[in-house]
Amino acid sequence: VKLTHIKASIASSPAVTHPSASFTDLVWVGTVSGVAELLLADAGGAQLMSSMRLTAAMTYTVNKGAFSLGSLNVAGRFEHSGGALQMSGDVTLTVPCEAGQPMVAGEVSFDVLGAVTVVGGRGAFSYACGGGL
């Protein structure tokens, strides 16, 4: 697993200017973001390879010790190639989401490659807030 572009920030309100300020009496607002990549390859010569990349970002608040998620956005991509099977896909997750807007959405495709025939498929999916698939 390779982690890159890791960023985090946090700020207090009001600003900590006095040494006797209590940590739990302050409101903390922060962000965290980063990228995770995973690459799997078969060393046995079967030509299997899978990869995945996730990009994520979130905002949060800690108010008097209580954690609250502001937003979470995750985007992912995967690919798999091995023997006769090839697959790939994308997915996104957004929290919170607005009514009628997709919370989860993605696309998937696959191909099975044979000596004579090729079978494949493509599809898309989404789940909307306040709705359904």
Side-chain angles (χ1 to χ4, degrees):
V1 175
K2 177 181 170 183
L3 300 175
T4 59
H5 302 91
I6 305 298
K7 297 179 184 175
S9 69
I10 189 167
S12 69
S13 177
V16 180
T17 57
H18 195 274
S20 66
S22 171
F23 181 86
T24 57
D25 289 338
L26 299 172
V27 176
W28 297 91
V29 177
T31 62
V32 178
S33 63
V35 176
E37 295 175 277
L38 176 64
L39 177 62
L40 301 172
D42 182 17
Q47 297 180 347
L48 296 174
M49 183 156 67
S50 298
S51 64
M52 180 177 63
R53 178 182 173 99
L54 292 174
T55 303
M58 70 175 251
T59 62
Y60 64 91
T61 303
V62 179
N63 189 353
K64 299 190 187 221
F67 177 85
S68 174
L69 178 66
S71 66
L72 173 64
N73 297 295
V74 179
R77 168 101 185 131
F78 77 91
E79 295 181 3
H80 172 77
S81 176
L85 178 63
Q86 296 180 349
M87 295 174 46
S88 64
D90 298 285
V91 66
T92 58
L93 168 70
T94 303
V95 177
C97 61
E98 298 176 25
Q101 298 298 313
M103 182 171 94
V104 178
E107 296 182 1
V108 175
S109 66
F110 76 93
D111 291 302
V112 179
L113 310 172
V116 178
T117 60
V118 175
V119 177
R122 312 277 179 271
F125 62 92
S126 68
Y127 178 81
C129 289
L133 293 174

